[in-house]
Amino acid sequence: MIANDTIVATATPVGVGALAIVRMSGENSARILALLTGEQPGPARVAVLRRLRAKSGEILDEAIVIRYEAPHSYTGENAVEVVCHGGIVTATRITQEFVAAGARPAQPGEFTRRAVMNGRLDLLQAEAVNDLIWSRSTAGATLALRQLDGGLSRRVVQLREDILGLEALAAYEIDFPEEDDGPVDDVRIRNATDDLVRSIQWLIDTTPAGELVRHGAVVAIVGAPNVGKSSMFNALLGRQRALVTDVPGTTRDALEAVLDTVPVPLRLVDTAGLRETSDQVEQLGVTLTREYVRNAAAVLACGDSEETLVAAREEAERDATGVVIPVQTKRDLKYPGIPGALGVSAVTGEGLERLVGRVSELIAQKAQLPDAESPVVTHTRYREVLERALHELTAFQSARGSEDLPATVSAVHLRESARILEELVGGIDVEDVLGRVFSSFCVGK
């Protein structure tokens, strides 16, 4: 990648729509824009109307143009954004003309990567941008915005500074062992190390909660055929997602849809009815159901009678690792209520809101979600980096307690722990880390 070249891409999805945005960033952005408009762009950060022409003179569009001057842009470079009419053709032609005038097509995530390289964002914030774009729920978007605001970044930077402070104490003890005040109190170093270990471990322990919020908690709906699972699934979603018939075994595969709830989105899964069957396809569906039960954060064991409900509950509890919630379906038929079960009706909507609230409450309790202001680890990469930093800290503890190792050797672990944490915020030039992060971004970001 050339650091000073000018890049361009359509920043909105290709397709029919009212507007589209073409983004260009680099030293020559304003000059290239002027080649298409035939006049100088307006003042920085002021929207102006301009007619854009192809090199042949053909009119491409009349569009709103905004020019940015470094460092006051998303990338920290000179930049231009063109808000043109939507559709497939117009934005594509404008982009092609910008390329013909001297820009080059941007790579996936290159705009945000430049923002990181120019100090506008750190790496955690950059990944939060991508999480926000791909979020499928309110809770996921809210968490991404908290990361973008720098909550986790500030915690990581503080941990790194604390480790460097601890390293300074260790260095003082090594370099000035005969000072009048004596070496640094060993208890002080030990307590500081213990605090750091606890802080990093606390962050690592938030990973399951972060993954739940980002991806949603799997909620498997299980029970015998024809007890109303698919009808309840559709009713919870508010739309016809699963086929519903009186024929047992209609649902042979697992159907999944996200219910946008807080504090955790729910990934509802309508599963094949649990029963003995000679149908090979249905057998595969039953096997898949049991797999979902094993991995679900919550299982709704459904039955329309005490017999079917007890059977569903026993079946679920045999394999489930998450919470099991007994649900009595078809309450509109006025069957007697079953003690210990939540009664619902897909026809009247009775009990559905209470069921969603109960599921969300139990999942949140088991996941031990941090409060809204606390940072949360949301990516496997974050957890792996934190675990490596923690390993170096515990190695420092062990080396310091060993009489066979000099103090200089133990202090090396502190410096390595601080260096590892820099990988999270991008404080060091790690090309493979940057490449892995930005490969999942869309081109215009």
Side-chain angles (χ1 to χ4, degrees), residues 25 27 32 104 130 171 177 184 186 239 439 444:
S25 180
E27 183 178 350
I32 293 173
R104 70 163 173 82
N130 203 38
V184 178
D186 184 66
R239 58 190 172 91
S439 64

Side-chain angles (χ1 to χ4, degrees), residues 1 7 11 23 25 73-77 106-131 133 148 434 437-445:
M1 181 185 299
I7 58 174
R23 170 180 279 173
S25 180
S73 71
Y74 178 73
T75 59
E77 303 171 331
Q107 300 172 6
E110 190 169 358
F111 291 95
T112 304
R113 181 166 181 163
R114 289 190 175 199
V116 172
M117 302 304 290
N118 292 323
R120 296 288 289 173
L121 299 171
D122 64 39
L123 202 49
L124 290 176
Q125 291 173 307
E127 289 180 274
V129 171
N130 203 38
D131 289 344
I133 291 170
L148 184 57
L434 293 175
V437 167
F438 291 110
S439 64
S440 63
F441 275 55
C442 55
V443 171
K445 206 63 185 178

Side-chain angles (χ1 to χ4, degrees), residues 356-417:
V356 171
R358 184 59 176 158
V359 172
S360 297
E361 177 188 0
L362 291 174
I363 289 176
Q365 286 177 356
K366 186 169 184 179
Q368 297 181 329
L369 296 177
D371 62 75
E373 301 303 317
S374 297
V376 179
V377 174
T378 54
H379 285 261
T380 301
R381 184 180 80 84
Y382 304 170
R383 189 200 70 231
E384 291 173 348
V385 172
L386 289 169
E387 287 175 343
R388 287 164 50 209
L390 180 62
H391 173 76
E392 293 297 333
L393 279 176
T394 54
F396 168 73
Q397 288 177 316
S398 300
R400 187 173 174 79
S402 173
E403 297 180 357
D404 299 328
L405 293 174
T408 51
V409 173
S410 63
V412 169
H413 294 293
L414 293 177
R415 174 53 59 93
E416 180 63 11
S417 183

Side-chain angles (χ1 to χ4, degrees), residues 240-319:
Q240 192 78 11
R241 177 70 174 83
L243 293 176
V244 178
T245 74
D246 293 330
V247 179
T250 300
T251 304
R252 298 187 173 200
D253 200 354
L255 297 177
E256 185 173 325
V258 176
L259 194 60
D260 190 1
T261 57
V262 291
V264 176
L266 304 180
R267 289 167 53 193
L268 300 178
V269 183
D270 182 27
T271 65
L274 292 170
R275 67 169 180 172
E276 297 296 328
T277 176
S278 58
D279 187 301
Q280 186 175 5
V281 175
E282 193 175 349
Q283 285 177 351
L284 292 173
V286 171
T287 300
L288 185 60
T289 295
R290 293 197 167 97
E291 183 68 23
Y292 268 106
V293 168
R294 280 190 287 272
N295 296 314
V299 179
L300 305 185
C302 300
D304 56 1
S305 66
E306 187 167 2
E307 180 184 359
T308 56
L309 184 61
V310 168
R313 185 173 186 173
E314 289 177 349
E315 187 81 42
E317 289 178 341
R318 186 175 63 189
D319 295 321

Side-chain angles (χ1 to χ4, degrees), residues 221-235:
I221 303 173
V222 303
N226 273 23
V227 296
K229 302 187 302 299
S230 295
S231 296
M232 185 180 74
F233 177 75
N234 289 335

